[in-house]
DNA sequence: AGCCTTATTTAGAATAATTCTAAGTCTTAA
DNA sequence: TTAAGACTTAGAATTATTCTAAATAAGGCT
């Protein structure tokens, strides 16, 4: 899990302590927190931070593709530092959210009925369910 | 496209004129309208209807699986009378939303890295992109 | 180091979609 | 035909998020 000392550097962006802390919190516990969750966690190290700043930082990180924004139905957005293309599984027993890897070598057009050379700019796959033998 | 005279009958539910109209509007133009869109359309035939009722009717139809609720990021929910399992493609050029069929005979575990016998209760696949030669 | 320009942060107000509330109306079954 | 419950309604309330305007902080330049 915790390997690289995730120090973020985005060219052209000031890496303020707020941005660093928001990003650190996201990489520290990869449980897909909401903005409010991030706010609570960042306040521990940066008590003066405001919720608006957390929203701003998250938005900036998402825009610069340092973080992914994940939506489940109409719930609050959640944030995820896993930049690999992946889906999400919401475990209905534990309430936890897991990243799901795509099987190697599959293309969307292998399982979806779309023209072969459609240019996909965004893909969301989210499942909800119950794991076996739970 | 328009084959069956989609008259809805859900056992145990009163098919009020509001519910009928909301459902009719959804089947009439399958363009994934929002609740506000549905409201505007239903008002033409049922001027006295309230937005709250449209929300109530949509919720009831979704609960009884007569209609699917579709979410794109944090936009307003959209509604879809196609009950087959399918995904959605948001065409960035035209702004339209198309249903996407899954290829025959594929299982989720063919392309997603999940335990074979996971019980999936809900699946959302939404893509955004640009169709070829557009 | 000190200054300038601009980016960023902040608190609080504003917004937008949706849900809730409480009262009124309609249905249905007896 | 009437009581009970289901449904609808208008408007208030809620909630997540965005906006606003003022204050602060960062970097670059001298």
């Amino acid at each position: 899990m915790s390997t690289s000392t995730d120090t973020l550097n985005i060219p052209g962006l000031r890496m303020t302590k707020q941005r660093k802390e928001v990003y650190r919190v996201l990489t520290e516990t990869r449980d897909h927190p909401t903005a409010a969750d991030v706010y609570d966690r960042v306040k521990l190290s940066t008590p003066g931070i405001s919720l608006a700043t957390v929203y701003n930082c998250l938005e900036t990180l998402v825009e610069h593709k340092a973080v992914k924004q994940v939506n489940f139905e109409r719930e609050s957005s959640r944030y995820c530092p896993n930049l690999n293309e992946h889906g999400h599984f919401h475990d209905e027993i534990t309430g936890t959210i897991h990243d799901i890897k795509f099987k190697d070598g599959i293309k969307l057009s292998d399982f979806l009925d779309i023209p072969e050379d459609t240019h996909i700019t965004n893909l969301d796959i989210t499942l909800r369910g119950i794991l076996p033998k739970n």
Side-chain angles (χ1 to χ4, degrees), chain A:
Chain A
M1 269 306 74
S2 58
T3 37
S4 63
T5 311
D6 294 292
T7 307
L8 187 63
N9 183 20
I10 301 172
L13 260 201
R14 290 184 186 167
M15 282 316 289
T16 63
K17 67 174 183 307
Q18 291 87 344
R19 284 176 180 163
K20 274 191 272 217
E21 280 303 285
V22 165
Y23 185 69
R24 187 187 57 73
V25 152
L26 288 177
T27 52
E28 186 177 78
T29 312
R30 295 166 173 252
D31 60 353
H32 304 85
T34 63
D37 294 335
V38 172
Y39 179 49
D40 290 342
R41 295 175 194 179
V42 171
K43 267 193 298 189
L44 300 174
S45 58
T46 311
I49 199 169
S50 82
L51 179 56
T53 299
V54 171
Y55 273 105
N56 290 342
C57 292
L58 290 169
E59 182 183 36
T60 301
L61 293 173
V62 169
E63 278 170 355
H64 289 79
K65 302 200 192 308
V67 152
K68 290 195 175 186
Q69 183 169 5
V70 183
N71 298 294
F72 285 86
E73 262 109 75
R74 304 214 84 260
E75 295 170 12
S76 302
S77 288
R78 296 173 175 278
Y79 298 87
C80 171
N82 176 357
L83 297 179
N84 300 315
E85 193 145 67
H86 66 281
H88 290 98
F89 176 81
H90 187 123
D91 182 325
E92 294 193 328
I93 302 298
T94 65
T96 54
I97 294 164
H98 306 283
D99 291 355
I100 313 175
K101 287 200 289 270
F102 297 148
K103 293 249 158 124
D104 287 335
I106 57 110
K107 299 194 317 266
L108 284 179
S109 52
D110 291 341
F111 61 96
L112 293 178
D113 193 15
I114 50 171
E116 276 286 338
D117 45 356
T118 302
H119 178 238
I120 302 299
T121 56
N122 187 269
L123 167 62
D124 277 331
I125 298 192
T126 65
L127 331 193
R128 192 177 280 273
I130 298 170
L131 291 173
K133 77 177 307 196
N134 203 328

